[in-house]
Amino acid sequence: MHKRSGKRLHGVASSDAVDLTKITLKTLLQAVVEASDVFPPLKSVAAGLNFIVENAQTVKANKADMESLLRRMSRLSELPRLDDDEELRRREVLEKELENIRSVLSPIKKRNAVRRFVEASHTAALIQEYVRQITRALEEYQVSLLQDLYKLNIEQTVRHFCIS
């Protein structure tokens, strides 16, 4: 029997102990799957349990990834705004892309635990695709902004030399 004192177990923080237990369980299940060819029922049970453990980890990762994605989208919406028509057009395109992604992510976030578990792999792929879409939209915004700033800089330089 282990003696607990506070949140530590034999000098190991409880969160570290939980992580170590999860890693050990996963490693043992994988070892049983790999080494149990002579006893197919054991291999089937271990493979099933291993799938459940991996899928549960995917669900947890999906939740963290979705929260990170939503935070990133929120920060993008707070970019400073310039007061010109081209900037308004750029922002409208970016905001439309972000809103489309929010409208898909919002229902996913509200799904019950069983559905999130069943759709874990699909949701992970979906989140990765939305990260790519946001990255692409932000890159397009930045390129367009840099082009306008370059044009503005050229115009100001030409005016400066014409006046001088």
Side-chain angles (χ1 to χ4, degrees):
M1 186 169 165
H2 297 284
K3 188 174 182 180
R4 286 185 168 237
S5 60
K7 292 189 174 194
R8 300 186 75 74
L9 176 64
H10 295 291
V12 177
S14 62
S15 63
D16 292 340
V18 170
D19 290 342
L20 181 60
T21 302
K22 289 177 184 177
I23 292 168
T24 303
L25 172 64
K26 186 172 174 153
T27 303
L28 286 173
L29 283 173
Q30 191 62 37
V32 170
V33 169
E34 296 296 323
S36 60
D37 286 338
V38 294
F39 193 58
L42 177 60
K43 184 172 186 156
S44 295
V45 169
L49 289 173
N50 195 37
F51 170 80
I52 290 170
V53 168
E54 286 178 0
N55 218 36
Q57 288 175 331
T58 302
V59 169
K60 186 176 180 180
N62 285 349
K63 181 178 179 183
D65 290 346
M66 191 173 308
E67 288 171 0
S68 173
L69 183 58
L70 290 170
R71 278 192 308 274
R72 183 176 183 192
M73 290 170 58
S74 178
R75 285 192 308 267
L76 289 175
S77 296
E78 297 167 1
L79 287 172
R81 297 176 188 270
L82 302 174
D83 290 330
D84 75 292
D85 292 339
E86 194 57 32
E87 172 62 10
L88 292 174
R89 184 198 60 75
R90 264 193 303 276
R91 288 305 294 252
E92 188 176 295
V93 169
L94 180 62
E95 289 294 332
K96 185 176 180 183
E97 184 74 26
L98 295 178
E99 190 51 44
N100 288 340
I101 293 170
R102 269 190 208 97
S103 70
V104 174
L105 290 180
S106 185
I108 291 173
K109 195 173 179 183
K110 294 176 185 176
R111 290 180 182 159
N112 66 36
V114 172
R115 186 167 177 192
R116 285 193 315 266
F117 182 82
V118 170
E119 296 177 346
S121 294
H122 172 72
T123 302
L126 194 64
I127 290 170
Q128 289 175 355
E129 176 57 29
Y130 287 133
V131 167
R132 282 190 290 276
Q133 285 182 19
I134 288 173
T135 301
R136 188 176 52 250
L138 183 57
E139 287 170 351
E140 289 172 6
Y141 174 84
Q142 290 171 332
V143 166
S144 178
L145 180 61
L146 286 172
Q147 287 172 337
D148 283 352
L149 290 173
Y150 178 76
K151 289 175 189 173
L152 183 62
N153 189 28
I154 294 292
E155 289 171 5
Q156 288 178 348
T157 302
V158 166
R159 271 188 258 153
H160 175 74
F161 284 116
C162 288
I163 294 173
S164 299

